[in-house]
Amino acid sequence: MTLHAGPTSQTFISQRLRLHYLDWGNRGKPPLVLVHGGRDHARSWDWVAEQLREDYHVVAMDHRGHGDSDWVSDGNYSSNDMVYDLAQLVHQLGVGPVTIVSHSMGGNVSLRYAGTFPDMVTKIVAIEGLGPSPKRQAEMRADPYPQRLNEWIGKKRAASGRTPRKYDSIEAAFARMIEENSYLTEEQARHLTLHGVNRNEDGTYSWKFDPHLNVWAVEDIADEFLYQTWAAITAPTLLLYGADSWASNPEGDGRLDHFANAEVIEFENAGHWLHHDQFDRFMATLRDFL
């Protein structure tokens, strides 16, 4: 059995930010980019990367404000800036077209990239990556825009005074991780916690992500522009959903109609992190698709 070294840590510059990514080696093999979700980090793909590294040149990025990437100075994170970051990563790698496997917020970003640069994407997998369902959007938009903007300013002001929460021990942070996702095995949760925290000077631990990531912009781009972007994707597209997740299945809510070439698969006994919750089934589905 071959013993592999772990991934190497690399950085690239995007909009003056120093962003971090992991390179699992094997340059020259088909490039595969792993794109994590909100308040997560690149190391949450380690199990996937371990299984695919023989056949692909696997790269996993840390979004701005996440993992070992820089935070933005004003605390404003927009999806389109993240699309720029992904475009910049692929551009700097100098490889392509690429295959993309993405989760949640990272799926939202990756699908926009795939529609904006259709020639640069061979295949794309997005786990619950379409953002809020039409029903959820309608609920949020039931409040007038000025009222929502007013609330957003209040939330941003509160976030500006919030320092990252400190945990006295790695065990306390681990307990919080388990509380957030009860489907995780103990081994998964420990790994995600270990790579998801920084040690502070006083010996406490804090999550790596920027606290401002808890406050998203009032409105993103207009629905019609998002639909145009999805419709422009030419790569075969696989949309995965957990049956026990809060996310809405696009097959039932009309969003699948905006894709030219997409298939939806739902996973039983899985929540929003179905690639952790049903890892073996996820890997089998992924290999079939790739």
Side-chain angles (χ1 to χ4, degrees), residues 100-104 106-112 114 123-131 227 229-231 233 235-243 247-267 271-272 274-275 281-282 285-286 289:
I100 298 177
V101 178
S102 56
H103 175 233
S104 197
N108 196 336
V109 167
S110 299
L111 290 166
R112 292 182 200 202
K123 289 186 174 175
I124 181 166
V125 179
I127 303 164
E128 307 207 341
L130 299 191
Y227 300 156
T229 310
W230 291 344
I233 298 171
T237 305
L238 184 62
L239 305 173
L240 302 181
Y241 278 77
S248 155
N249 188 319
E251 216 159 7
D253 65 24
R255 289 180 296 174
L256 188 60
D257 303 345
H258 300 292
F259 289 84
N261 193 10
E263 177 195 1
V264 178
I265 298 179
E266 190 168 273
F267 280 55
H272 184 53
L274 65 86
H275 52 308
R281 183 179 170 199
F282 170 71
T285 306
L286 187 56
F289 178 70

CSV table of all heavy atoms in Angstrom, one decimal, residues 100-104 106-112 114 123-131 227 229-231 233 235-243 247-267 271-272 274-275 281-282 285-286 289:
chain,number,residue,atom,x,y,z
A,100,ILE,N,-15.4,20.2,-11.6
A,100,ILE,CA,-15.7,20.8,-10.3
A,100,ILE,C,-16.6,20.0,-9.5
A,100,ILE,O,-17.6,19.5,-10.0
A,100,ILE,CB,-16.2,22.2,-10.5
A,100,ILE,CG1,-15.3,23.1,-11.3
A,100,ILE,CG2,-16.6,22.9,-9.2
A,100,ILE,CD1,-15.8,24.5,-11.6
A,101,VAL,N,-16.2,19.8,-8.2
A,101,VAL,CA,-17.2,19.2,-7.2
A,101,VAL,C,-17.3,20.2,-6.1
A,101,VAL,O,-16.3,20.7,-5.6
A,101,VAL,CB,-16.6,17.9,-6.7
A,101,VAL,CG1,-17.5,17.3,-5.6
A,101,VAL,CG2,-16.4,16.9,-7.8
A,102,SER,N,-18.6,20.6,-5.8
A,102,SER,CA,-18.8,21.8,-4.9
A,102,SER,C,-19.9,21.5,-4.0
A,102,SER,O,-20.8,20.7,-4.2
A,102,SER,CB,-19.1,23.0,-5.8
A,102,SER,OG,-20.2,22.7,-6.7
A,103,HIS,N,-19.9,22.3,-2.9
A,103,HIS,CA,-21.0,22.2,-1.9
A,103,HIS,C,-21.6,23.5,-1.5
A,103,HIS,O,-20.8,24.5,-1.3
A,103,HIS,CB,-20.4,21.5,-0.6
A,103,HIS,CG,-21.3,21.4,0.5
A,103,HIS,ND1,-21.0,21.8,1.8
A,103,HIS,CD2,-22.6,20.9,0.6
A,103,HIS,CE1,-22.0,21.6,2.6
A,103,HIS,NE2,-23.0,21.0,1.9
A,104,SER,N,-22.9,23.6,-1.4
A,104,SER,CA,-23.6,24.7,-0.8
A,104,SER,C,-23.2,26.0,-1.4
A,104,SER,O,-23.3,26.2,-2.7
A,104,SER,CB,-23.4,24.7,0.7
A,104,SER,OG,-24.3,25.5,1.4
A,106,GLY,N,-20.4,27.1,-2.1
A,106,GLY,CA,-19.4,26.8,-3.1
A,106,GLY,C,-20.0,26.3,-4.4
A,106,GLY,O,-19.5,26.5,-5.5
A,107,GLY,N,-21.2,25.6,-4.3
A,107,GLY,CA,-21.9,25.2,-5.5
A,107,GLY,C,-22.5,26.3,-6.2
A,107,GLY,O,-22.5,26.4,-7.4
A,108,ASN,N,-23.1,27.3,-5.5
A,108,ASN,CA,-23.6,28.5,-6.0
A,108,ASN,C,-22.6,29.2,-6.9
A,108,ASN,O,-22.8,29.6,-8.0
A,108,ASN,CB,-24.1,29.4,-4.9
A,108,ASN,CG,-25.1,30.4,-5.3
A,108,ASN,OD1,-25.1,30.9,-6.5
A,108,ASN,ND2,-25.9,30.9,-4.4
A,109,VAL,N,-21.4,29.3,-6.3
A,109,VAL,CA,-20.3,30.0,-6.9
A,109,VAL,C,-19.8,29.2,-8.2
A,109,VAL,O,-19.6,29.8,-9.2
A,109,VAL,CB,-19.1,30.2,-5.9
A,109,VAL,CG1,-17.8,30.6,-6.6
A,109,VAL,CG2,-19.5,31.2,-4.8
A,110,SER,N,-19.7,27.9,-8.0
A,110,SER,CA,-19.1,27.1,-9.1
A,110,SER,C,-20.1,27.0,-10.3
A,110,SER,O,-19.6,27.0,-11.4
A,110,SER,CB,-18.9,25.7,-8.6
A,110,SER,OG,-17.9,25.7,-7.5
A,111,LEU,N,-21.4,27.0,-10.0
A,111,LEU,CA,-22.3,26.9,-11.1
A,111,LEU,C,-22.3,28.2,-11.9
A,111,LEU,O,-22.4,28.2,-13.1
A,111,LEU,CB,-23.8,26.6,-10.6
A,111,LEU,CG,-24.0,25.2,-10.1
A,111,LEU,CD1,-25.3,25.1,-9.2
A,111,LEU,CD2,-24.0,24.2,-11.2
A,112,ARG,N,-22.1,29.3,-11.2
A,112,ARG,CA,-21.9,30.6,-11.9
A,112,ARG,C,-20.7,30.6,-12.8
A,112,ARG,O,-20.7,31.2,-13.9
A,112,ARG,CB,-21.9,31.8,-10.9
A,112,ARG,CG,-23.2,32.0,-10.2
A,112,ARG,CD,-23.2,33.2,-9.3
A,112,ARG,NE,-24.2,33.1,-8.3
A,112,ARG,CZ,-24.7,34.1,-7.6
A,112,ARG,NH1,-24.2,35.3,-7.8
A,112,ARG,NH2,-25.7,33.9,-6.7
A,114,ALA,N,-19.3,28.0,-14.1
A,114,ALA,CA,-19.5,27.1,-15.2
A,114,ALA,C,-20.4,27.7,-16.3
A,114,ALA,O,-20.2,27.4,-17.5
A,114,ALA,CB,-20.2,25.8,-14.7
A,123,LYS,N,-17.1,18.8,-16.4
A,123,LYS,CA,-18.3,18.3,-15.7
A,123,LYS,C,-18.4,19.1,-14.3
A,123,LYS,O,-17.4,19.5,-13.8
A,123,LYS,CB,-18.2,16.8,-15.4
A,123,LYS,CG,-18.3,15.9,-16.6
A,123,LYS,CD,-18.3,14.5,-16.3
A,123,LYS,CE,-18.6,13.7,-17.5
A,123,LYS,NZ,-18.5,12.2,-17.3
A,124,ILE,N,-19.6,19.2,-13.8
A,124,ILE,CA,-19.7,19.9,-12.5
A,124,ILE,C,-20.8,19.2,-11.6
A,124,ILE,O,-21.8,18.7,-12.1
A,124,ILE,CB,-20.1,21.3,-12.7
A,124,ILE,CG1,-20.2,22.1,-11.4
A,124,ILE,CG2,-21.4,21.5,-13.6
A,124,ILE,CD1,-20.2,23.6,-11.4
A,125,VAL,N,-20.4,19.0,-10.4
A,125,VAL,CA,-21.3,18.4,-9.3
A,125,VAL,C,-21.5,19.5,-8.3
A,125,VAL,O,-20.5,20.2,-7.8
A,125,VAL,CB,-20.6,17.2,-8.6
A,125,VAL,CG1,-21.5,16.7,-7.5
A,125,VAL,CG2,-20.2,16.1,-9.6
A,126,ALA,N,-22.8,19.8,-8.0
A,126,ALA,CA,-23.1,20.8,-6.9
A,126,ALA,C,-24.0,20.1,-5.9
A,126,ALA,O,-25.1,19.7,-6.2
A,126,ALA,CB,-23.7,22.0,-7.5
A,127,ILE,N,-23.5,20.0,-4.7
A,127,ILE,CA,-24.3,19.5,-3.6
A,127,ILE,C,-25.1,20.6,-3.0
A,127,ILE,O,-24.5,21.5,-2.4
A,127,ILE,CB,-23.4,18.9,-2.5
A,127,ILE,CG1,-22.5,17.8,-3.1
A,127,ILE,CG2,-24.2,18.3,-1.3
A,127,ILE,CD1,-21.3,17.4,-2.2
A,128,GLU,N,-26.4,20.6,-3.1
A,128,GLU,CA,-27.2,21.7,-2.5
A,128,GLU,C,-26.7,23.1,-2.8
A,128,GLU,O,-26.5,23.9,-1.9
A,128,GLU,CB,-27.4,21.4,-1.0
A,128,GLU,CG,-28.0,20.0,-0.8
A,128,GLU,CD,-28.8,19.8,0.5
A,128,GLU,OE1,-28.7,20.7,1.4
A,128,GLU,OE2,-29.5,18.8,0.5
A,129,GLY,N,-26.4,23.3,-4.1
A,129,GLY,CA,-25.7,24.6,-4.4
A,129,GLY,C,-26.5,25.6,-5.2
A,129,GLY,O,-25.9,26.5,-5.8
A,130,LEU,N,-27.8,25.5,-5.1
A,130,LEU,CA,-28.6,26.5,-5.9
A,130,LEU,C,-29.1,27.7,-5.0
A,130,LEU,O,-29.8,28.5,-5.5
A,130,LEU,CB,-29.8,25.8,-6.5
A,130,LEU,CG,-29.6,24.7,-7.5
A,130,LEU,CD1,-30.8,24.3,-8.3
A,130,LEU,CD2,-28.5,25.1,-8.5
A,131,GLY,N,-28.7,27.7,-3.8
A,131,GLY,CA,-29.1,28.8,-3.0
A,131,GLY,C,-30.6,28.7,-2.5
A,131,GLY,O,-31.1,27.6,-2.6
A,227,TYR,N,-30.7,32.7,-13.6
A,227,TYR,CA,-31.2,31.7,-14.5
A,227,TYR,C,-30.5,31.7,-15.8
A,227,TYR,O,-30.2,30.6,-16.4
A,227,TYR,CB,-32.7,31.9,-14.7
A,227,TYR,CG,-33.5,31.9,-13.4
A,227,TYR,CD1,-34.8,32.5,-13.4
A,227,TYR,CD2,-33.1,31.1,-12.3
A,227,TYR,CE1,-35.5,32.5,-12.2
A,227,TYR,CE2,-33.8,31.1,-11.2
A,227,TYR,CZ,-35.1,31.7,-11.1
A,227,TYR,OH,-35.8,31.7,-9.9
A,229,THR,N,-27.4,32.4,-16.3
A,229,THR,CA,-26.1,31.9,-16.0
A,229,THR,C,-26.2,30.3,-16.0
A,229,THR,O,-25.3,29.6,-16.6
A,229,THR,CB,-25.5,32.5,-14.8
A,229,THR,OG1,-25.6,33.9,-14.8
A,229,THR,CG2,-24.0,32.1,-14.6
A,230,TRP,N,-27.2,29.8,-15.2
A,230,TRP,CA,-27.4,28.4,-15.2
A,230,TRP,C,-27.6,27.8,-16.6
A,230,TRP,O,-27.1,26.8,-17.0
A,230,TRP,CB,-28.5,28.0,-14.3
A,230,TRP,CG,-28.3,28.3,-12.8
A,230,TRP,CD1,-27.1,28.5,-12.2
A,230,TRP,CD2,-29.3,28.3,-11.8
A,230,TRP,NE1,-27.3,28.7,-10.8
A,230,TRP,CE2,-28.6,28.6,-10.6
A,230,TRP,CE3,-30.7,28.2,-11.8
A,230,TRP,CZ2,-29.3,28.7,-9.4
A,230,TRP,CZ3,-31.4,28.4,-10.6
A,230,TRP,CH2,-30.7,28.6,-9.4
A,231,ALA,N,-28.4,28.5,-17.4
A,231,ALA,CA,-28.8,28.1,-18.7
A,231,ALA,C,-27.6,28.0,-19.6
A,231,ALA,O,-27.6,27.3,-20.6
A,231,ALA,CB,-29.9,28.9,-19.3
A,233,ILE,N,-24.6,27.0,-18.9
A,233,ILE,CA,-23.7,25.8,-18.6
A,233,ILE,C,-23.9,24.8,-19.6
A,233,ILE,O,-25.0,24.3,-19.9
A,233,ILE,CB,-24.0,25.2,-17.2
A,233,ILE,CG1,-23.9,26.3,-16.1
A,233,ILE,CG2,-23.2,24.0,-16.9
A,233,ILE,CD1,-24.3,25.8,-14.7
A,235,ALA,N,-21.6,22.0,-19.6
A,235,ALA,CA,-21.0,20.8,-19.0
A,235,ALA,C,-22.1,19.9,-18.4
A,235,ALA,O,-23.1,20.5,-17.9
A,235,ALA,CB,-20.0,21.1,-17.9
A,236,PRO,N,-22.0,18.6,-18.5
A,236,PRO,CA,-23.0,17.8,-17.7
A,236,PRO,C,-23.0,18.2,-16.3
A,236,PRO,O,-21.9,18.4,-15.7
A,236,PRO,CB,-22.4,16.3,-17.9
A,236,PRO,CG,-21.6,16.4,-19.2
A,236,PRO,CD,-21.0,17.8,-19.2
A,237,THR,N,-24.2,18.3,-15.7
A,237,THR,CA,-24.3,18.8,-14.3
A,237,THR,C,-25.1,17.9,-13.5
A,237,THR,O,-26.1,17.3,-13.8
A,237,THR,CB,-25.1,20.2,-14.4
A,237,THR,OG1,-24.4,21.1,-15.3
A,237,THR,CG2,-25.2,20.8,-13.0
A,238,LEU,N,-24.5,17.6,-12.3
A,238,LEU,CA,-25.2,16.7,-11.3
A,238,LEU,C,-25.5,17.5,-10.1
A,238,LEU,O,-24.6,18.1,-9.4
A,238,LEU,CB,-24.2,15.5,-11.0
A,238,LEU,CG,-24.8,14.5,-10.1
A,238,LEU,CD1,-26.0,13.8,-10.7
A,238,LEU,CD2,-23.7,13.4,-9.7
A,239,LEU,N,-26.8,17.6,-9.7
A,239,LEU,CA,-27.2,18.3,-8.5
A,239,LEU,C,-27.6,17.3,-7.5
A,239,LEU,O,-28.5,16.5,-7.7
A,239,LEU,CB,-28.4,19.2,-8.9
A,239,LEU,CG,-28.1,20.2,-10.1
A,239,LEU,CD1,-29.4,20.9,-10.5
A,239,LEU,CD2,-27.0,21.2,-9.7
A,240,LEU,N,-27.0,17.3,-6.3
A,240,LEU,CA,-27.2,16.3,-5.3
A,240,LEU,C,-27.9,17.0,-4.1
A,240,LEU,O,-27.6,18.1,-3.7
A,240,LEU,CB,-25.9,15.7,-4.8
A,240,LEU,CG,-25.1,15.0,-5.9
A,240,LEU,CD1,-23.8,14.4,-5.3
A,240,LEU,CD2,-25.9,13.9,-6.6
A,241,TYR,N,-28.9,16.3,-3.5
A,241,TYR,CA,-29.7,16.8,-2.4
A,241,TYR,C,-29.9,15.7,-1.3
A,241,TYR,O,-30.0,14.5,-1.6
A,241,TYR,CB,-31.1,17.3,-2.9
A,241,TYR,CG,-31.0,18.7,-3.5
A,241,TYR,CD1,-30.4,18.9,-4.7
A,241,TYR,CD2,-31.2,19.8,-2.7
A,241,TYR,CE1,-30.2,20.1,-5.2
A,241,TYR,CE2,-31.0,21.0,-3.2
A,241,TYR,CZ,-30.5,21.2,-4.4
A,241,TYR,OH,-30.2,22.5,-4.8
A,242,GLY,N,-29.8,16.2,-0.1
A,242,GLY,CA,-30.1,15.3,1.1
A,242,GLY,C,-31.5,15.3,1.4
A,242,GLY,O,-32.1,16.4,1.5
A,243,ALA,N,-32.1,14.1,1.5
A,243,ALA,CA,-33.6,14.1,1.8
A,243,ALA,C,-34.0,14.7,3.1
A,243,ALA,O,-35.1,15.2,3.3
A,243,ALA,CB,-34.1,12.6,1.8
A,247,ALA,N,-32.6,22.2,2.5
A,247,ALA,CA,-32.6,22.7,1.1
A,247,ALA,C,-33.7,22.1,0.3
A,247,ALA,O,-34.2,20.9,0.6
A,247,ALA,CB,-31.3,22.4,0.5
A,248,SER,N,-34.2,22.8,-0.7
A,248,SER,CA,-35.3,22.4,-1.5
A,248,SER,C,-34.8,21.7,-2.8
A,248,SER,O,-33.9,22.2,-3.4
A,248,SER,CB,-36.2,23.6,-1.8
A,248,SER,OG,-37.0,23.4,-2.9
A,249,ASN,N,-35.4,20.6,-3.1
A,249,ASN,CA,-35.0,19.8,-4.3
A,249,ASN,C,-35.4,20.6,-5.6
A,249,ASN,O,-36.6,20.8,-5.8
A,249,ASN,CB,-35.6,18.4,-4.2
A,249,ASN,CG,-35.1,17.5,-5.3
A,249,ASN,OD1,-34.9,17.9,-6.5
A,249,ASN,ND2,-34.8,16.3,-5.0
A,250,PRO,N,-34.5,20.9,-6.5
A,250,PRO,CA,-34.8,21.7,-7.7
A,250,PRO,C,-35.7,21.0,-8.7
A,250,PRO,O,-36.3,21.6,-9.5
A,250,PRO,CB,-33.5,22.0,-8.3
A,250,PRO,CG,-32.5,21.0,-7.8
A,250,PRO,CD,-33.1,20.6,-6.4
A,251,GLU,N,-35.8,19.7,-8.5
A,251,GLU,CA,-36.7,18.9,-9.4
A,251,GLU,C,-38.2,19.3,-9.1
A,251,GLU,O,-39.0,19.3,-10.0
A,251,GLU,CB,-36.5,17.4,-9.2
A,251,GLU,CG,-36.6,16.6,-10.5
A,251,GLU,CD,-35.9,15.3,-10.4
A,251,GLU,OE1,-35.4,14.9,-9.3
A,251,GLU,OE2,-35.9,14.6,-11.4
A,252,GLY,N,-38.4,19.5,-7.8
A,252,GLY,CA,-39.8,19.8,-7.4
A,252,GLY,C,-40.1,21.3,-7.4
A,252,GLY,O,-41.3,21.7,-7.4
A,253,ASP,N,-39.1,22.2,-7.4
A,253,ASP,CA,-39.4,23.6,-7.2
A,253,ASP,C,-39.2,24.4,-8.5
A,253,ASP,O,-39.3,25.7,-8.5
A,253,ASP,CB,-38.7,24.2,-6.1
A,253,ASP,CG,-37.1,24.2,-6.3
A,253,ASP,OD1,-36.7,24.2,-7.4
A,253,ASP,OD2,-36.4,24.3,-5.3
A,254,GLY,N,-39.0,23.7,-9.6
A,254,GLY,CA,-38.9,24.4,-10.9
A,254,GLY,C,-37.6,24.9,-11.3
A,254,GLY,O,-37.4,25.3,-12.5
A,255,ARG,N,-36.6,24.9,-10.5
A,255,ARG,CA,-35.3,25.4,-10.8
A,255,ARG,C,-34.5,24.6,-11.8
A,255,ARG,O,-33.7,25.1,-12.5
A,255,ARG,CB,-34.4,25.7,-9.6
A,255,ARG,CG,-35.0,26.9,-8.8
A,255,ARG,CD,-34.2,27.1,-7.5
A,255,ARG,NE,-34.2,26.0,-6.6
A,255,ARG,CZ,-33.5,26.0,-5.5
A,255,ARG,NH1,-32.7,26.9,-5.1
A,255,ARG,NH2,-33.6,24.9,-4.6
A,256,LEU,N,-34.8,23.3,-11.8
A,256,LEU,CA,-34.1,22.4,-12.8
A,256,LEU,C,-34.4,22.8,-14.2
A,256,LEU,O,-33.6,22.6,-15.1
A,256,LEU,CB,-34.6,20.9,-12.5
A,256,LEU,CG,-33.9,19.8,-13.3
A,256,LEU,CD1,-32.4,19.8,-13.0
A,256,LEU,CD2,-34.5,18.5,-13.0
A,257,ASP,N,-35.5,23.4,-14.5
A,257,ASP,CA,-35.9,23.8,-15.8
A,257,ASP,C,-34.9,24.8,-16.4
A,257,ASP,O,-34.9,25.0,-17.7
A,257,ASP,CB,-37.3,24.5,-15.8
A,257,ASP,CG,-38.4,23.6,-15.3
A,257,ASP,OD1,-38.1,22.4,-15.1
A,257,ASP,OD2,-39.5,24.0,-14.9
A,258,HIS,N,-34.1,25.5,-15.6
A,258,HIS,CA,-33.2,26.5,-16.1
A,258,HIS,C,-31.9,25.9,-16.6
A,258,HIS,O,-31.0,26.6,-17.1
A,258,HIS,CB,-32.9,27.5,-15.1
A,258,HIS,CG,-34.1,28.3,-14.6
A,258,HIS,ND1,-34.8,29.1,-15.4
A,258,HIS,CD2,-34.8,28.3,-13.4
A,258,HIS,CE1,-35.9,29.6,-14.8
A,258,HIS,NE2,-35.9,29.1,-13.6
A,259,PHE,N,-31.7,24.6,-16.4
A,259,PHE,CA,-30.5,23.9,-16.8
A,259,PHE,C,-30.7,23.1,-18.1
A,259,PHE,O,-31.8,22.5,-18.3
A,259,PHE,CB,-30.1,22.9,-15.7
A,259,PHE,CG,-29.5,23.6,-14.5
A,259,PHE,CD1,-30.4,24.0,-13.5
A,259,PHE,CD2,-28.2,23.8,-14.3
A,259,PHE,CE1,-29.9,24.7,-12.3
A,259,PHE,CE2,-27.7,24.4,-13.2
A,259,PHE,CZ,-28.5,24.9,-12.2
A,260,ALA,N,-29.7,23.1,-18.9
A,260,ALA,CA,-29.8,22.4,-20.2
A,260,ALA,C,-29.5,20.9,-20.1
A,260,ALA,O,-30.0,20.1,-20.8
A,260,ALA,CB,-28.9,23.1,-21.2
A,261,ASN,N,-28.7,20.6,-19.1
A,261,ASN,CA,-28.0,19.3,-19.1
A,261,ASN,C,-27.8,18.8,-17.7
A,261,ASN,O,-26.7,18.5,-17.3
A,261,ASN,CB,-26.7,19.5,-19.8
A,261,ASN,CG,-26.1,18.2,-20.2
A,261,ASN,OD1,-26.7,17.1,-20.0
A,261,ASN,ND2,-24.8,18.2,-20.6
A,262,ALA,N,-28.8,18.9,-16.8
A,262,ALA,CA,-28.6,18.6,-15.4
A,262,ALA,C,-29.5,17.4,-14.9
A,262,ALA,O,-30.6,17.2,-15.4
A,262,ALA,CB,-28.9,19.8,-14.5
A,263,GLU,N,-28.9,16.7,-14.0
A,263,GLU,CA,-29.7,15.6,-13.4
A,263,GLU,C,-29.7,15.8,-11.9
A,263,GLU,O,-28.7,16.3,-11.3
A,263,GLU,CB,-28.9,14.3,-13.7
A,263,GLU,CG,-29.5,13.0,-13.1
A,263,GLU,CD,-28.6,11.8,-13.2
A,263,GLU,OE1,-27.5,11.9,-13.7
A,263,GLU,OE2,-29.0,10.7,-12.6
A,264,VAL,N,-30.8,15.4,-11.2
A,264,VAL,CA,-30.8,15.5,-9.7
A,264,VAL,C,-30.9,14.2,-9.1
A,264,VAL,O,-31.6,13.3,-9.5
A,264,VAL,CB,-32.1,16.3,-9.3
A,264,VAL,CG1,-32.2,16.4,-7.8
A,264,VAL,CG2,-32.1,17.7,-9.9
A,265,ILE,N,-30.1,14.0,-8.1
A,265,ILE,CA,-30.2,12.7,-7.3
A,265,ILE,C,-30.3,13.1,-5.8
A,265,ILE,O,-29.6,13.9,-5.3
A,265,ILE,CB,-28.9,11.9,-7.4
A,265,ILE,CG1,-28.7,11.4,-8.9
A,265,ILE,CG2,-28.9,10.6,-6.5
A,265,ILE,CD1,-27.4,10.6,-9.2
A,266,GLU,N,-31.3,12.4,-5.2
A,266,GLU,CA,-31.6,12.7,-3.8
A,266,GLU,C,-31.0,11.6,-2.9
A,266,GLU,O,-31.1,10.4,-3.3
A,266,GLU,CB,-33.1,12.9,-3.5
A,266,GLU,CG,-33.4,13.4,-2.1
A,266,GLU,CD,-34.8,13.9,-2.0
A,266,GLU,OE1,-35.1,15.0,-2.3
A,266,GLU,OE2,-35.7,13.0,-1.5
A,267,PHE,N,-30.4,11.9,-1.8
A,267,PHE,CA,-29.8,10.9,-0.9
A,267,PHE,C,-30.7,10.7,0.3
A,267,PHE,O,-30.9,11.7,1.1
A,267,PHE,CB,-28.4,11.4,-0.5
A,267,PHE,CG,-27.3,11.1,-1.5
A,267,PHE,CD1,-27.4,11.6,-2.8
A,267,PHE,CD2,-26.2,10.4,-1.1
A,267,PHE,CE1,-26.4,11.4,-3.7
A,267,PHE,CE2,-25.2,10.2,-2.0
A,267,PHE,CZ,-25.3,10.7,-3.3
A,271,GLY,N,-28.3,14.9,5.4
A,271,GLY,CA,-28.7,16.3,5.5
A,271,GLY,C,-27.9,17.1,4.5
A,271,GLY,O,-27.6,16.6,3.4
A,272,HIS,N,-27.6,18.3,4.9
A,272,HIS,CA,-27.0,19.3,4.0
A,272,HIS,C,-25.6,18.9,3.6
A,272,HIS,O,-25.1,19.2,2.5
A,272,HIS,CB,-27.0,20.7,4.7
A,272,HIS,CG,-26.5,21.8,3.8
A,272,HIS,ND1,-27.0,22.0,2.6
A,272,HIS,CD2,-25.5,22.7,4.0
A,272,HIS,CE1,-26.4,23.1,2.0
A,272,HIS,NE2,-25.5,23.5,2.9
A,274,LEU,N,-24.3,16.0,2.7
A,274,LEU,CA,-24.5,14.6,2.3
A,274,LEU,C,-23.2,13.9,2.0
A,274,LEU,O,-23.1,12.7,2.1
A,274,LEU,CB,-25.5,14.5,1.2
A,274,LEU,CG,-25.2,15.0,-0.2
A,274,LEU,CD1,-24.4,14.1,-1.0
A,274,LEU,CD2,-26.5,15.4,-0.9
A,275,HIS,N,-22.2,14.7,1.5
A,275,HIS,CA,-20.9,14.0,1.2
A,275,HIS,C,-20.1,13.5,2.4
A,275,HIS,O,-19.2,12.7,2.3
A,275,HIS,CB,-20.0,15.0,0.4
A,275,HIS,CG,-19.8,16.3,1.0
A,275,HIS,ND1,-20.8,17.1,1.4
A,275,HIS,CD2,-18.7,17.0,1.3
A,275,HIS,CE1,-20.4,18.3,1.9
A,275,HIS,NE2,-19.1,18.2,1.8
A,281,ARG,N,-21.8,6.2,-0.5
A,281,ARG,CA,-22.8,6.4,-1.6
A,281,ARG,C,-22.4,7.6,-2.5
A,281,ARG,O,-22.5,7.6,-3.7
A,281,ARG,CB,-24.2,6.5,-1.1
A,281,ARG,CG,-25.2,6.6,-2.2
A,281,ARG,CD,-26.6,6.7,-1.9
A,281,ARG,NE,-27.3,7.0,-3.2
A,281,ARG,CZ,-28.5,7.6,-3.3
A,281,ARG,NH1,-29.2,7.9,-2.2
A,281,ARG,NH2,-29.0,7.8,-4.5
A,282,PHE,N,-22.0,8.7,-1.8
A,282,PHE,CA,-21.6,9.9,-2.5
A,282,PHE,C,-20.4,9.5,-3.5
A,282,PHE,O,-20.4,9.9,-4.6
A,282,PHE,CB,-21.2,11.0,-1.5
A,282,PHE,CG,-20.5,12.1,-2.2
A,282,PHE,CD1,-21.2,13.0,-3.0
A,282,PHE,CD2,-19.1,12.4,-2.1
A,282,PHE,CE1,-20.6,14.1,-3.6
A,282,PHE,CE2,-18.5,13.4,-2.7
A,282,PHE,CZ,-19.3,14.3,-3.5
A,285,THR,N,-21.6,7.5,-6.4
A,285,THR,CA,-22.3,8.3,-7.4
A,285,THR,C,-21.4,9.3,-8.1
A,285,THR,O,-21.5,9.4,-9.4
A,285,THR,CB,-23.3,9.2,-6.6
A,285,THR,OG1,-24.1,8.4,-5.7
A,285,THR,CG2,-24.2,10.0,-7.5
A,286,LEU,N,-20.4,9.8,-7.4
A,286,LEU,CA,-19.4,10.7,-8.1
A,286,LEU,C,-18.6,10.0,-9.1
A,286,LEU,O,-18.5,10.5,-10.2
A,286,LEU,CB,-18.5,11.3,-7.0
A,286,LEU,CG,-17.5,12.3,-7.3
A,286,LEU,CD1,-18.3,13.5,-8.0
A,286,LEU,CD2,-16.7,12.8,-6.1
A,289,PHE,N,-20.6,9.3,-12.2
A,289,PHE,CA,-20.8,10.6,-13.0
A,289,PHE,C,-19.5,11.0,-13.7
A,289,PHE,O,-19.6,11.4,-14.9
A,289,PHE,CB,-21.3,11.7,-12.1
A,289,PHE,CG,-21.5,13.0,-12.8
A,289,PHE,CD1,-22.5,13.2,-13.7
A,289,PHE,CD2,-20.7,14.1,-12.5
A,289,PHE,CE1,-22.7,14.4,-14.4
A,289,PHE,CE2,-20.8,15.3,-13.2
A,289,PHE,CZ,-21.9,15.4,-14.1
